[in-house]
Amino acid sequence: IIYTTLDSSIQEHVEYLLTDSDENPIKYPDDTQAAMVVLDTKTGAVQAIGGSRNNDGNYGYNYATRGGTQLGSTAKPIMAYGPAIEYNQMSTYHQINDDEPFAIPGTETSIRNWNRQYGGWMSARHALNQSLNVPAVKTLQEVGIDNAQKFAEGLGIKFADDQMVLTDAIGWCGYECNTASIGRRIPCVW
């Protein structure tokens, strides 16, 4: 007897979402690779897993469990908003001023929002929903690097030279992960 937490109807839907079907709501650019993992957020049990979008030439490589890439915007709830909720008791309606690019202290580099627009005062919830970079970095700065690093390390995140920096809030860190490993960390954050 084999016991599994996989749900065949969810698995079938994940496999469909990884196709080039005309009815698929996700339109992939040519040669784009993708992977999906569906987890039960209460138990962490895997309900479905799609290891790749196109099996031509990947020789069965499973991007969901073996692939690795930088966190990107997935880092925002782990590196900025989660620690702010945990240590500063920040509400998701906490107001953050997204008024201009954020100049990284001691450098000539500025962090901009992906859309190059700045909306002024907004809630943390709205900033995360829109995946805005400047509010995430300001939130990390407010909670403090030490608290944010402690929070992220508690979820298994490792940092280059064992030191978190402000740009980690938007996924510029050297940490690489796969879909399955990061999926286990997100439900406990937000």
Side-chain angles (χ1 to χ4, degrees):
I1 296 175
I2 297 174
Y3 295 98
T4 180
T5 58
L6 292 177
D7 181 312
S8 60
S9 64
I10 297 172
Q11 180 66 39
E12 188 175 305
H13 190 66
V14 163
E15 290 173 10
Y16 166 73
L17 290 173
L18 291 171
T19 69
D20 287 326
S21 169
D22 289 337
E23 290 82 34
N24 187 346
I26 303 171
K27 304 301 178 204
Y28 297 100
D30 291 340
D31 299 325
T32 298
Q33 199 46 261
M36 292 184 193
V37 176
V38 178
L39 300 173
D40 180 316
T41 58
K42 290 186 173 72
T43 67
V46 176
Q47 295 182 313
I49 191 163
S52 66
R53 188 183 147 263
N54 182 341
N55 290 322
D56 295 340
N58 75 2
Y59 306 103
Y61 190 81
N62 187 323
Y63 290 90
T65 59
R66 296 178 65 200
T69 187
Q70 285 188 328
L71 289 171
S73 288
T74 306
K76 292 171 184 166
I78 296 172
M79 311 291 188
Y81 298 108
I85 291 168
E86 178 78 16
Y87 296 110
N88 292 13
Q89 286 72 50
M90 183 185 90
S91 159
T92 59
Y93 293 100
H94 177 79
Q95 297 295 300
I96 305 165
N97 193 6
D98 176 36
D99 57 347
E100 63 185 352
F102 180 89
I104 300 173
T107 73
E108 298 199 18
T109 303
S110 290
I111 294 174
R112 296 182 301 269
N113 289 331
W114 63 268
N115 60 5
R116 306 294 195 260
Q117 296 176 10
Y118 304 91
W121 289 99
M122 64 183 62
S123 70
R125 179 181 298 248
H126 178 77
L128 181 57
N129 177 271
Q130 296 300 307
S131 193
L132 299 173
N133 294 334
V134 172
V137 173
K138 285 183 174 183
T139 299
L140 171 55
Q141 188 177 46
E142 186 177 326
V143 76
I145 295 278
D146 290 341
N147 282 337
Q149 183 168 347
K150 182 166 70 170
F151 184 88
E153 286 177 342
L155 296 173
I157 305 295
K158 297 184 183 350
F159 296 93
D161 301 322
D162 293 321
Q163 181 58 50
M164 185 178 200
V165 295
L166 279 175
T167 54
D168 289 340
I170 58 173
W172 287 9
C173 54
Y175 181 77
E176 290 194 352
C177 62
N178 60 52
T179 307
S181 70
I182 200 61
R184 289 186 196 99
R185 290 163 173 86
I186 294 292
C188 55
V189 176
W190 205 264

